Amino acid sequence: MSDLKKKTGNILSNVSPPSELPSFITTNVANVATAGTDISLTTGTKPAAMVDDAAKRDETEPFIPTTFSPAIPASKDTSQAMLAVASAQQPEAAPEPVGRDFANMMLNPEPVAAALSPITQGGSALFGWMKGAVSGSGILQKVAEKAKNSVDTIVTTLDPQMKEYINSGGDTEVIVASDKDDKVRPVREAFQTVFGKATIIGLAAQAVGIAAQPVGFAAGLKGAEHRINSIRAENPRVDDHLPVVAVENFLVELFPDQWFEASVIVLFDYAKNILLKTVTQMTPIPLPVITALQADTPADYLLKDTGFAITVGSIMARNLNTSHTEWHRAYTSVSRPEMILAAAKTIATLYKQAAHEYEHIASQSGSVPPGEVPAGADPTGGNPEPAE
């Protein structure tokens, strides 16, 4: 035991004496003591450790400058912009005296009245434009007309029946020798398209002396003429100055065993002696339908020489299971009114040209133009009255 004590000795005797405190600690303690602040340097307290670490970094760590990245490259010259900013910040200079040198100034040698003449004179560009704009054919007139057409388009789109009333009127009035909508409506649309405004009236008319289903061009034309003569003779509203349009369908064998259905459109203006004819698009008819029409026509049918006793529409509608007025659309995707509309536009355009020629000749001669049919004459040239 004594030997162990000799080897180890006193434990405290083996501890080296404390080293001298760092200079920055003694300096800080002295400064705090001088300021009258009581600081306890107890080891383990957090604030002293934070101060110690901060002070140690200030003494030991070197300063590392940051790298500056300018937004404007150094190659760009900003001296002019700086001068502009500086000049804007300076107060405005006092105006120079009136008696400065005017030798270098450009003055307008024209008088004031001459300089303002493009604005004040009636024939100037500004007032000329305004005068032209409000004239009958000016810009404002065209704008107003376009706005009216746009409104009419909206109204007729919402209610298609309003188109008849909007486009009715004007100097053109036409009578259609039928009260069927699939005939009157396309004729009305055609004339209103060509003339802008036109009044189209449909009146019932029957064709006598013609088979129920006319066959051949001659029979179809004869049926249309009979409708025109019938309506002019029986309806007091139709006078000699009103043009009459008639539509009559017919069958025709254009090629061996190849039949087609079409409609002939005839316009007759008695007062102007204008007679126009055209034919609609043709629809091919199957040969079994023609065979059925021939079988259903009695041998003693009185009008057999002009056609069949049964209409083609009745058989086609029955076979297609649709209405007799819609079998064209169901069979060819083109309705009968569409076919009549295209042909009626041709008739309306030709009639407009013929009417202008009549008025031109009448204005030059001052009398009845050559070829004018006198009152009471037969417009068909002595031929018997046509039938439907």
Side-chain angles (χ1 to χ4, degrees):
M1 187 68 176
S2 62
D3 293 339
L4 180 61
K5 285 183 179 182
K6 285 182 179 182
K7 283 184 179 182
T8 60
N10 192 359
I11 296 176
L12 295 178
S13 63
N14 295 330
V15 178
S16 61
S19 61
E20 186 179 357
L21 292 175
S23 59
F24 64 87
I25 296 180
T26 56
T27 303
N28 291 339
V29 173
N31 292 338
V32 173
T34 305
T37 306
D38 186 10
I39 299 177
S40 175
L41 295 178
T42 306
T43 60
T45 58
K46 189 174 182 179
M50 292 177 62
V51 174
D52 188 4
D53 294 340
K56 188 174 181 180
R57 283 197 301 269
D58 293 340
E59 292 292 336
T60 59
E61 296 181 359
F63 173 74
I64 301 175
T66 58
T67 302
F68 176 70
S69 178
I72 302 177
S75 59
K76 185 173 182 180
D77 185 11
T78 58
S79 59
Q80 297 296 333
M82 298 298 295
L83 292 176
V85 174
S87 60
Q89 294 177 354
Q90 293 180 0
E92 295 183 358
E96 296 182 6
V98 179
R100 59 176 296 182
D101 184 13
F102 291 97
N104 297 326
M105 296 185 62
M106 298 297 296
L107 300 179
N108 186 5
E110 299 181 1
V112 176
L116 297 179
S117 61
I119 300 179
T120 57
Q121 294 180 5
S124 64
L126 176 61
F127 283 85
W129 177 86
M130 295 181 63
K131 182 178 179 181
V134 299
S135 63
S137 60
I139 298 176
L140 297 182
Q141 180 70 19
K142 294 179 180 179
V143 171
E145 186 67 22
K146 190 172 184 62
K148 178 182 178 299
N149 294 336
S150 300
V151 173
D152 292 347
T153 302
I154 296 174
V155 172
T156 54
T157 301
L158 297 176
D159 188 0
Q161 295 181 354
M162 288 296 296
K163 188 174 184 178
E164 173 185 351
Y165 302 99
I166 292 176
N167 296 329
S168 296
D171 299 330
T172 304
E173 184 175 357
V174 179
I175 302 298
V176 180
S178 176
D179 57 351
K180 303 297 188 296
D181 184 68
D182 59 344
K183 293 181 179 180
V184 178
R185 180 163 46 86
V187 173
R188 177 185 294 116
E189 183 177 351
F191 275 84
Q192 290 178 350
T193 300
V194 174
F195 288 88
K197 282 186 176 297
T199 301
I200 312 298
I201 301 174
L203 300 176
Q206 297 295 329
V208 294
I210 297 294
Q213 178 57 66
V215 176
F217 287 98
L221 180 61
K222 191 175 182 180
E225 291 176 349
H226 269 271
R227 290 181 184 273
I228 293 176
N229 291 334
S230 173
I231 199 172
R232 292 183 65 248
E234 299 176 2
N235 199 310
R237 297 178 57 185
V238 182
D239 56 19
D240 293 340
H241 294 83
L242 290 178
V244 182
V245 175
V247 181
E248 183 65 51
N249 81 307
F250 63 95
L251 290 173
V252 60
E253 186 181 10
L254 293 181
F255 312 104
D257 295 334
Q258 292 186 8
W259 291 73
F260 295 85
E261 186 268 350
S263 295
V264 59
I265 302 179
V266 178
L267 181 145
F268 178 62
D269 189 336
Y270 181 84
K272 297 180 176 65
N273 192 29
I274 298 175
L275 181 62
L276 302 173
K277 309 168 187 177
T278 190
V279 179
T280 65
Q281 169 184 326
M282 292 189 174
T283 302
I285 303 299
L287 185 58
V289 175
I290 302 299
T291 303
L293 290 173
Q294 295 173 346
D296 291 340
T297 301
D300 56 349
Y301 183 54
L302 297 178
L303 303 176
K304 188 176 181 179
D305 58 336
T306 59
F308 302 134
I310 305 298
T311 62
V312 64
S314 60
I315 297 181
M316 292 293 294
R318 184 169 63 250
N319 292 335
L320 297 172
N321 194 21
T322 184
S323 172
H324 71 282
T325 60
E326 294 293 332
W327 71 266
H328 292 84
R329 183 189 299 275
Y331 186 55
T332 64
S333 299
V334 181
S335 65
R336 191 187 186 199
E338 292 175 339
M339 300 178 185
I340 296 176
L341 174 61
K345 286 183 179 179
T346 302
I347 286 289
T349 303
L350 296 177
Y351 176 70
K352 186 177 182 179
Q353 297 173 0
H356 286 171
E357 293 177 1
Y358 169 84
E359 295 173 357
H360 177 69
I361 296 175
S363 62
Q364 288 184 346
S365 62
S367 59
V368 178
E372 177 78 11
V373 178
D378 185 3
T380 61
N383 295 331
E385 288 190 354
E388 174 87 333

